[in-house]
Amino acid sequence: GSFEDLAAALEDALEQGVGGDLGVALRRRLGVLYAERLQDPERALRRLEEAAREAPGAEIFGALARLYRRQNAYRELAEVHRRHAEVVQDPTQRKDLLFEVATIMEDHLSDRDGAMEAYRQILAVDPEDPNALRLLGRLLGAAERWDELVAVLEKEVAIADRRPNFALEAAELRFRLGRIRQQRLGDLEGALQA
């Protein structure tokens, strides 16, 4: 068929040593062609990964993500989102990609540490992101990492204290913080201060 001929012609051009922007464009085009027309995901992934290494961008990472998702290759999917987040300039988009990484790590890979790392990367972008703090806190509690959980809860209390309509939430967080300090860390004085 004509798609096979087109793929062969593009492969020939790459074998001739076409590089630079044209080489990236050819690899991207081949990746899409293999994925969508020729049903050859292995070749598609190879060409798209090559293009992503040379010129990482949203279009290429999007194509890789679709392929990995179709194959239920969740570790690779999380890695593509992480790599995409590294090159994205917009902080909101970076956070969205990292939330996606955390969700995949936790829900599909049962990788609590990987999810916690993604939440920490979100907090590096936005130190007061309430969802990242809450979700990181939940995972730290499940992992019984009390010292780290106390630090997260202290941050949540400080944020809640600055918001006029969050007095009840601040009080609940303080109570939880005090309980963890007393029961898990044996810090009665710290518990009373909370």
Side-chain angles (χ1 to χ4, degrees), residues 7 30 33 64 66-68 74 76 90-91 103 114 122 124 168 175:
L30 268 167
L33 193 61
L64 281 167
R66 283 189 298 280
L67 270 173
Y68 285 130
Y74 291 109
E76 292 81 0
D90 177 49
T103 301
I122 292 165
L168 181 61
F175 176 77

Side-chain angles (χ1 to χ4, degrees), residues 21 66 92 150 164 185:
D21 290 344
R66 283 189 298 280
T92 303
V150 163
L185 299 176

Side-chain angles (χ1 to χ4, degrees), residues 55 144 148:
E144 299 185 356
E148 293 172 75

